[in-house]
């Protein structure tokens, strides 16, 4: 019987059901009981941090534009939800949806939503690299965390990246912010385990843990907290439970919560 009940973190919101990184997806995740929210951030041409995964907008907003070359005002004119359900306009019985739930989501708006929520919700923020703005992304991110008073130990936020250099920047700017080193290739782990900070979390992908179970066991034995992405199936959750992971990042937070309730009973 597993002994550690992991935190359930909604990957880009409840993104299995609703368009990723939209406010609608995050509100759905909160309503479902998710313990945390995960987002990717990129910097616009006029210096705003927005929650967008891809560098270009072809997949999520049907345009060839790049996030880094567009102003926030330009991004605000785009629909970031239509791609998820392209036939929605043909449904005469569908309720009218607030356009504010479909557009580009700024990190500030997401953090304000979390800060105002009626229970503690944690936010895992991934900075995307490479990017034309390099370290400016982390600088702007830390400035925003300071605005919320979330650059201190115990704050409901952590910063993640595949870039070791990016996490070092955050550590210099805000030494108390929790950091997560993401890992997607097994041959990276022997090197990373020697250089990442003593208190850093390790964030392996579930695909790597499936294909290279010994690497997963090595990570678990390292004594570090482990947060795994993207966990959407029962057997993958059980693999994580066997390794004692502290957080599972999922497109399907409600499913993960239901499965954990079966194993641990109702959350306190």
């Amino acid at each position: 019987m597993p002994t550690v009940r992991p935190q359930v973190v909604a990957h880009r919101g409840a993104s299995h059901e609703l368009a990723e990184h939209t406010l609608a997806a995050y509100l759905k995740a909160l309503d479902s009981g998710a313990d945390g929210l995960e987002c990717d951030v990129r910097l616009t041409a006029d210096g705003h941090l927005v929650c967008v995964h891809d560098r270009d907008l072809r997949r999520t907003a049907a345009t060839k534009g790049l996030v880094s070359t567009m102003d926030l005002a330009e991004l605000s004119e785009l629909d970031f939800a239509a791609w998820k359900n392209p036939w929605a306009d043909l449904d005469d019985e569908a309720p009218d949806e607030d356009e504010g739930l479909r557009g580009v989501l700024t990190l500030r708006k997401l953090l304000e939503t979390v800060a105002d929520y009626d229970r503690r919700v944690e936010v895992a923020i991934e900075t995307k690299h490479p990017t034309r703005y390099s370290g400016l992304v982390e600088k702007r991110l830390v400035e925003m965390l300071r605005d919320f008073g979330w650059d201190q130990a115990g704050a409901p936020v952590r910063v993640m990246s595949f870039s070791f250099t990016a996490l070092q920047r955050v550590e210099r700017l805000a030494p108390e912010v929790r950091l997560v080193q993401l890992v997607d290739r097994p041959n990276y782990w022997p090197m990373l385990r020697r250089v990442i900070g003593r208190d850093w979390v390790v964030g392996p992908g579930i695909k790597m843990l499936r294909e290279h179970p010994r690497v997963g066991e090595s990570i678990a034995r390292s004594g570090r907290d482990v947060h795994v992405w993207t966990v959407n199936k029962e057997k993958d959750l059980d693999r994580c439970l066997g390794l004692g992971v502290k957080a599972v990042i999922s497109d399907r937070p409600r499913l993960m919560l239901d499965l954990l309730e079966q194993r641990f009973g109702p959350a306190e």
Side-chain angles (χ1 to χ4, degrees):
M1 177 70 182
T3 57
V4 177
R5 184 186 186 119
Q7 184 185 70
V8 174
V9 181
H11 183 242
R12 310 179 196 173
S15 55
H16 177 73
E17 300 166 76
L18 298 171
E20 67 183 57
H21 285 132
T22 58
L23 186 56
Y26 285 110
L27 293 177
K28 179 76 172 179
L30 292 172
D31 290 345
S32 75
D35 304 303
L37 307 176
E38 184 269 353
C39 67
D40 305 289
V41 293
R42 292 185 177 276
L43 203 60
T44 66
D46 53 344
H48 293 274
L49 286 167
V50 291
C51 300
V52 180
H53 178 272
D54 304 351
R55 66 187 292 268
D56 67 62
L57 300 163
R58 285 175 292 187
R59 180 174 65 89
T60 55
T63 179
K64 294 180 180 179
L66 302 179
V67 176
S68 61
T69 63
M70 298 177 72
D71 291 345
L72 179 60
E74 295 175 281
L75 291 171
S76 298
E77 295 175 0
L78 303 175
D79 187 330
F80 279 77
W83 68 273
K84 186 72 172 179
N85 184 7
W87 309 111
D89 289 344
L90 302 180
D91 185 356
D92 294 334
E93 297 181 3
D96 292 335
E97 188 175 26
D98 182 350
E99 289 301 313
L101 300 177
R102 303 173 59 87
V104 68
L105 178 64
T106 65
L107 179 63
R108 183 172 295 278
K109 177 64 177 177
L110 179 60
L111 297 186
E112 287 172 348
T113 301
V114 168
D116 291 342
Y117 207 62
D118 59 5
R119 61 180 170 86
R120 179 183 171 96
V121 177
E122 299 196 359
V123 187
I125 305 169
E126 180 184 344
T127 63
K128 306 301 292 183
H129 289 278
T131 171
R132 72 176 58 207
Y133 296 117
S134 187
L136 186 57
V137 175
E138 284 76 33
K139 182 175 184 293
R140 288 292 170 84
L141 173 56
V142 170
E143 288 171 354
M144 186 173 296
L145 296 181
R146 288 198 185 111
D147 289 345
F148 285 81
W150 287 355
D151 59 330
Q152 306 297 316
V157 68
R158 53 186 175 265
V159 177
M160 312 191 299
S161 187
F162 288 98
S163 169
F164 172 66
T165 302
L167 294 177
Q168 284 185 306
R169 290 190 199 107
V170 176
E171 189 171 51
R172 286 194 297 269
L173 294 167
E176 295 183 21
V177 170
R178 204 164 190 217
L179 302 175
V180 183
Q181 176 67 61
L182 298 175
V183 189
D184 62 351
R185 297 185 184 181
N187 56 314
Y188 287 1
W189 170 240
M191 174 187 64
L192 286 170
R193 70 181 303 169
R194 292 177 172 83
V195 297
I196 60 176
R198 183 177 302 174
D199 298 326
W200 290 21
V201 177
V202 182
I206 190 64
K207 183 174 184 288
M208 186 181 81
L209 297 185
R210 275 194 230 113
E211 296 176 355
H212 303 275
R214 289 185 179 179
V215 176
E217 293 164 5
S218 173
I219 292 172
R221 289 195 304 268
S222 71
R224 302 174 184 277
D225 285 356
V226 181
H227 296 180
V228 180
W229 52 275
T230 303
V231 183
N232 293 324
K233 298 178 181 178
E234 184 171 6
K235 63 181 179 180
D236 287 335
L237 175 63
D238 287 337
R239 182 183 298 275
C240 292
L241 294 178
L243 292 172
V245 308
K246 295 295 181 67
V248 291
I249 302 171
S250 177
D251 300 324
R252 309 181 72 175
R254 184 65 258 169
L255 173 62
M256 293 297 111
L257 289 164
D258 290 343
L259 291 171
L260 289 174
E261 185 169 339
Q262 293 173 16
R263 288 153 177 75
F264 293 90
E268 296 180 359

